[in-house]
Amino acid sequence: MSYSVGQVAGFAGVTVRTLHHYDGIGLLSPSARSHAGHRRYDDADLDRLQQILFYRELGFPLEEVAALLDDPRVDPREHLRRQHELLSGRIAKLQEMAAAVETALEARKMGINLTPEEKFEVFGDHDPEQYAEEAERRWGSSEAYAQAQRRAASYTKDDWQRIKEENAGNTAGLVAAMEDGAAPDSVRAMDLAEEHRLLISRNHYDCDYGMHVCLAEMYVADERFTSSIDAAKPGLAAYLREAILANAARHA
């Protein structure tokens, strides 16, 4: 049996563009081509794709996934043993997160404890809680969400003003780097991306490199984020994404 790229995308729940990218970087090249030159995938290709998606789900960069799968010293059984170990760790972590959420549910509902006048003074006409319900629906079960809520509940007007100024300084640095022609993977841009990550960790929730990369992808995938970031300079969201990805790779 062989399958078209569209069929494989449907089986795996990925986009055709993703499969084309995997082929382009040599991570997953189809075993055959049709007479018309279209990609055709066999069962072995599907097995490899399953392995790729598993490691990607656990946050492995594509380069590391390729190294794992192409290591001649590792047989398929070793991959299964490693995956079992990784899944066991993930399950334990999820159980810890569930316990943290249960604790948070028992506590009072937390949020930004400012008067309407103070909110306007700090945030202007931007409502920081505009998407609160959506955020809770999407991430409410995560430890990061609970941590952010706990910190937000403790912040004063001065704290929010400081956070606002720190974020503005980071944005200004990124805009300047972009205008000076610094590449997103330059040391200058990567250092600003690292500062961006540390600001999140210090002010909101612990943001490791994997989570930072997820945020970077959201900055360009969600037009609301893109529009907000690009308000400082058109194209800044995409620039920041590339800088974050380069910085994460630098620290891998």
Side-chain angles (χ1 to χ4, degrees):
M1 288 289 294
S2 68
Y3 310 92
S4 69
V5 66
Q7 288 176 309
V8 173
F11 296 157
V14 299
T15 64
V16 169
R17 182 178 179 180
T18 294
L19 294 175
H20 286 174
H21 177 60
Y22 288 172
D23 185 13
I25 64 175
L27 181 60
L28 177 67
S29 297
S31 297
R33 296 267 180 171
S34 69
H35 292 303
H38 298 145
R39 296 171 174 85
R40 302 296 299 183
Y41 295 82
D42 62 16
D43 290 339
D45 296 330
L46 295 185
D47 286 342
R48 182 177 175 88
L49 177 58
Q50 185 180 46
Q51 300 285 342
I52 292 168
L53 296 179
F54 176 85
Y55 284 119
R56 289 293 288 155
E57 178 66 22
L58 291 176
F60 284 72
L62 291 177
E63 295 81 0
E64 189 169 347
V65 174
L68 285 168
L69 295 183
D70 295 332
D71 188 343
R73 298 168 297 179
V74 180
D75 63 26
R77 288 173 297 180
E78 181 59 32
H79 279 298
L80 290 173
R81 284 192 290 270
R82 176 169 188 168
Q83 289 171 4
H84 183 273
E85 179 181 339
L86 291 169
L87 282 173
S88 296
R90 172 66 67 88
I91 290 169
K93 181 63 176 177
L94 289 174
Q95 289 173 334
E96 292 177 6
M97 291 170 61
V101 171
E102 289 174 5
T103 301
L105 288 173
E106 293 172 359
R108 66 180 177 84
K109 184 172 178 62
M110 296 169 288
I112 298 175
N113 293 325
L114 299 179
T115 66
E117 292 79 8
E118 288 174 331
K119 282 186 180 180
F120 186 81
E121 184 178 345
V122 174
F123 300 107
D125 58 2
H126 168 67
D127 181 4
E129 296 179 321
Q130 180 179 2
Y131 301 110
E133 290 186 5
E134 179 183 350
E136 184 172 6
R137 185 172 65 252
R138 294 176 67 179
W139 302 295
S141 62
S142 69
E143 171 59 22
Y145 178 86
Q147 187 178 33
Q149 290 291 91
R150 288 193 296 270
R151 292 187 184 182
S154 70
Y155 286 157
T156 65
K157 183 185 75 172
D158 289 341
D159 290 323
W160 286 113
Q161 191 65 48
R162 171 185 56 78
I163 292 169
K164 179 182 177 181
E165 291 171 358
E166 289 175 350
N167 290 340
N170 182 252
T171 297
L174 286 162
V175 169
M178 190 175 174
E179 291 179 342
D180 290 344
D185 60 353
S186 66
V187 172
R188 179 180 177 183
M190 288 190 293
D191 285 349
L192 286 164
E194 177 67 6
E195 179 185 68
H196 182 275
R197 185 186 71 84
L198 293 175
L199 286 174
I200 295 172
S201 293
R202 181 165 68 245
N203 295 323
H204 303 293
Y205 52 84
D206 296 336
C207 181
D208 61 20
Y209 293 102
M211 183 173 290
H212 205 207
V213 167
C214 290
L215 290 174
E217 298 296 352
M218 188 169 62
Y219 292 162
V220 296
D222 189 322
E223 62 181 12
R224 294 170 298 180
F225 282 98
T226 305
S227 176
S228 176
I229 296 169
D230 282 1
K233 181 176 179 62
L236 182 60
Y239 183 87
L240 175 57
R241 171 190 177 274
E242 294 301 319
I244 290 173
L245 266 58
N247 183 58
R250 175 174 64 163
H251 289 88

